[in-house]
Amino acid sequence: MDKHNQTVQVNGRAIPTDSEGYLHNLGDWSEDFACALADQEGLVLTERHWEVIRFLRTYFHEHDVQAQVRIMVKHFSEKWGAEPGSNRHLHDMFPRGGPQKQGNRLAGLLRTKGEH
């Protein structure tokens, strides 16, 4: 397999991703995929991680674009409080690229515009 393509094993099925773990086919996403990718990235998903993942998926499906970090911070600061919803805390939760990169990967969304 070339360096631009990889797979994530989900229930015995190889799900194709790019070299950073973004899905090639958004229809391949499942909660099991998110768990398998998180495990591969060394991340233990908590209920708060799932809240972010669900928010990202819902936002994308409602707006047809990924949520910007400032939108996530506003939403989660209102929901969880200023510190737990802060940019720093969200980046601590998703240490491999923050909520916009790692969060979008786990949510089965495309890489955001401007990402290389």
Side-chain angles (χ1 to χ4, degrees), residues 13-85:
R13 184 171 163 234
I15 304 294
T17 67
D18 72 8
S19 63
E20 291 185 45
Y22 291 93
L23 285 172
H24 282 298
N25 177 0
L26 300 187
D28 283 338
W29 187 85
S30 66
E31 288 191 359
D32 288 341
F33 170 83
C35 290
L37 183 61
D39 188 55
Q40 189 173 297
E41 294 186 356
L43 185 66
V44 176
L45 295 177
T46 66
E47 185 51 42
R48 285 210 166 163
H49 287 96
W50 282 110
E51 286 184 53
V52 173
I53 290 167
R54 289 181 193 113
F55 172 81
L56 290 169
R57 289 187 60 77
T58 299
Y59 189 93
F60 180 79
H61 291 294
E62 289 175 356
H63 301 276
D64 212 26
V65 68
Q66 293 88 336
Q68 296 172 322
V69 174
R70 66 178 175 76
I71 292 169
M72 289 182 242
V73 169
K74 181 179 188 309
H75 175 83
F76 289 106
S77 291
E78 290 171 1
K79 186 169 184 163
W80 297 340
E83 174 50 30

